Amino acid sequence: MRAAPIVTARQPSAWQRLRRSVLRLGWLTLAGLLLAGIVHLVTVLLLPSLARQDAAHAYLGLGSEGHADMPGSLAPGSLPALQEADPRVVTAICAYDLTGGPVRITARAGSLPMAITLHRSGGGVVYAITDRAAIRGLLEFQLLTDEQNDERLAQDDDGEASRELRVVADSARGLVVVRVLAKQPSDRLDAEALATGVQCGPAG
Amino acid sequence: MRIGELAYVLALGAGLGLASAQWAVTARPAIGKVEIGPWAAWPAGGSREIDPYLQAYLARGVHLPLGAGEGMELIAETSDDGAALEARCRYSISGATPAARGWTLSVSDTAGAPFRLALERSGFSDAEIVRGEDGAMAIVAAFSPQPGNWLPLPSEGRFQLRLRLYDTALSIQTGDARPALLPQITRLDCR
């Protein structure tokens, strides 16, 4: 009777071990890169909502007196300066919070170009209007949320459209930014008076 | 998966992800950038549909971009020949400006802040420049005084030109912005 042949497990050669390690490292690197892509996107998307040094936070207290304030007019150094701003433009700001109800913005148009923009907290311009839209020298609109707009529409008399301009903001907080262009250095005082003359308060 | 391997994947993912995100938002992003000759604009910055990279860039500082209906900001970091704008050179900024209720052309550092120069002139508005017989504008940006519309530059270093058009009819989205509609930036000579 012949003895059965002895089967021994073949040990992987050094080359095979190296190949396997390199392959594993490749897969791990691929997983790391995939994770890096996810981390990259999540960071970029979360940055605006986590930012605490943006304009919406820096100028949160402006406009509490019922009119737009210039960031530079308060105690020097108390508020950060606006970056990338046009040196020829006077900027006045009014922070809004619609959780307490709609806000009314009233501006008187002058001879200098003026624009009012609504910047939502976290970035993006919700609305922009220039003084060319002023009626009899007055620019007036109400700023409200979607729900507040629905309520107002329900309160409006049947069949009678409101004559008032209503702007629906998609975020409850943000900034009303008034910019007046001082074309000549001598226009600066007029521009400041126009910009800070913009009223912003509860719509009632 | 061994702990060492897991640590490798996490370190690579977190490190590379955070570093690339930081790098992507330190300057104005290439996404959403519209180039018209040497001028660049980010029109989505002034709308509701702002792209996430520009939004993240703007959120890192106190920025309030011009609204889409308010105006347009165009930034030039190079002259017409594609070379970076250098304060040791002399530049002619000439030609037409698109129809607008007003415009300003200013010189700033690469972060967009005006230089602190002895002469307080960081730019011109449309009401200030002296025009030629054809009505076109001709501004010379240089370190040393120039006849006509002189825009002072610092003694050295890179700079930007910013053209802001207020209440303009020019629309970038509709594609009617052509280099011929905007001022040309020609390098005259260098020190």
Side-chain angles (χ1 to χ4, degrees):
Chain A
M1 201 174 138
R2 286 170 61 188
I6 300 164
V7 180
T8 50
R10 274 179 62 200
Q11 292 292 315
S13 67
W15 168 247
Q16 280 174 320
R17 278 204 303 273
L18 181 70
R19 196 166 156 253
R20 214 172 287 168
S21 306
V22 169
L23 207 65
R24 192 161 177 81
L25 185 69
W27 280 114
L28 290 171
T29 305
L30 202 67
L33 290 177
L34 198 70
L35 184 65
I38 296 167
V39 170
H40 174 96
L41 287 177
V42 170
T43 310
V44 169
L45 292 174
L46 279 181
L47 239 161
S49 53
L50 296 176
R52 291 292 172 269
Q53 263 120 48
D54 61 342
H57 284 87
Y59 300 146
L60 194 65
L62 291 179
S64 54
E65 304 284 311
H67 64 85
D69 284 319
M70 293 190 297
S73 67
L74 304 177
S78 62
L79 287 180
L82 186 58
Q83 288 170 249
E84 298 188 83
D86 188 342
R88 285 310 178 83
V89 165
V90 171
T91 308
I93 293 160
C94 206
Y96 66 80
D97 184 353
L98 302 177
T99 50
V103 170
R104 187 187 306 280
I105 320 288
T106 314
R108 197 158 284 285
S111 57
L112 301 170
M114 175 167 72
I116 300 178
T117 45
L118 304 178
H119 293 249
R120 67 178 158 214
S121 188
V125 179
V126 178
Y127 187 71
I129 191 168
T130 69
D131 59 348
R132 284 207 292 189
I135 299 167
R136 283 190 284 277
L138 203 67
L139 197 63
E140 190 172 20
F141 61 93
Q142 213 180 104
L143 182 61
L144 22 67
T145 60
D146 220 1
E147 294 80 42
Q148 287 162 353
N149 189 37
D150 289 344
E151 274 174 37
R152 294 276 156 138
L153 286 175
Q155 285 167 10
D156 286 345
D157 291 333
D158 287 340
E160 191 186 314
S162 168
R163 293 164 69 93
E164 193 173 47
L165 178 61
R166 288 173 184 168
V167 178
V168 176
D170 52 6
S171 80
R173 288 183 184 84
L175 300 175
V176 175
V177 179
V178 185
R179 278 190 264 242
V180 182
L181 173 62
K183 288 191 175 191
Q184 310 263 10
S186 56
D187 292 335
R188 191 120 200 135
L189 284 177
D190 286 345
E192 288 181 4
L194 269 177
T196 54
V198 173
Q199 307 283 315
C200 44
Chain B
M1 193 184 271
R2 284 174 228 134
I3 289 182
E5 291 174 347
L6 185 69
Y8 170 72
V9 172
L10 288 178
L12 186 67
L16 203 63
L18 289 173
S20 62
Q22 163 79 12
W23 173 81
V25 300
T26 45
R28 284 177 175 266
I31 301 169
K33 180 182 181 181
V34 178
E35 286 180 298
I36 311 143
W39 301 98
W42 283 261
S47 70
R48 283 180 194 239
E49 284 79 39
I50 182 169
D51 77 79
Y53 285 96
L54 186 59
Q55 196 172 354
Y57 163 74
L58 295 173
R60 292 180 75 246
V62 186
H63 294 101
L64 291 170
L66 291 184
E70 180 184 20
M72 193 182 295
E73 183 177 38
L74 296 137
I75 305 172
E77 289 184 316
T78 64
S79 50
D80 282 348
D81 57 8
L85 296 174
E86 300 257 9
R88 61 187 179 83
C89 299
R90 224 159 48 101
Y91 296 91
S92 147
I93 303 134
S94 60
T97 47
R101 195 150 158 228
W103 57 257
T104 63
L105 179 84
S106 59
V107 60
S108 66
D109 63 17
T110 49
F115 291 107
R116 291 182 183 278
L117 302 177
L119 189 74
E120 272 193 40
R121 172 168 291 287
S122 57
F124 284 101
S125 77
D126 61 310
E128 286 175 323
I129 59 158
V130 182
R131 292 170 193 268
E133 283 176 2
D134 56 353
M137 72 156 173
I139 294 173
V140 178
F143 171 65
S144 52
Q146 303 292 316
N149 303 306
W150 170 45
L151 196 52
L153 294 179
S155 58
E156 57 180 3
R158 294 263 179 98
F159 71 94
Q160 285 182 346
L161 287 170
R162 291 191 179 227
L163 177 67
R164 296 174 176 100
L165 307 162
Y166 294 98
D167 215 347
T168 179
L170 181 81
S171 171
I172 284 183
Q173 274 98 341
T174 54
D176 64 353
R178 299 187 309 277
L181 290 176
L182 295 170
Q184 279 95 55
I185 308 166
T186 316
R187 191 169 58 178
L188 300 173
D189 49 36
C190 294
R191 276 182 281 130

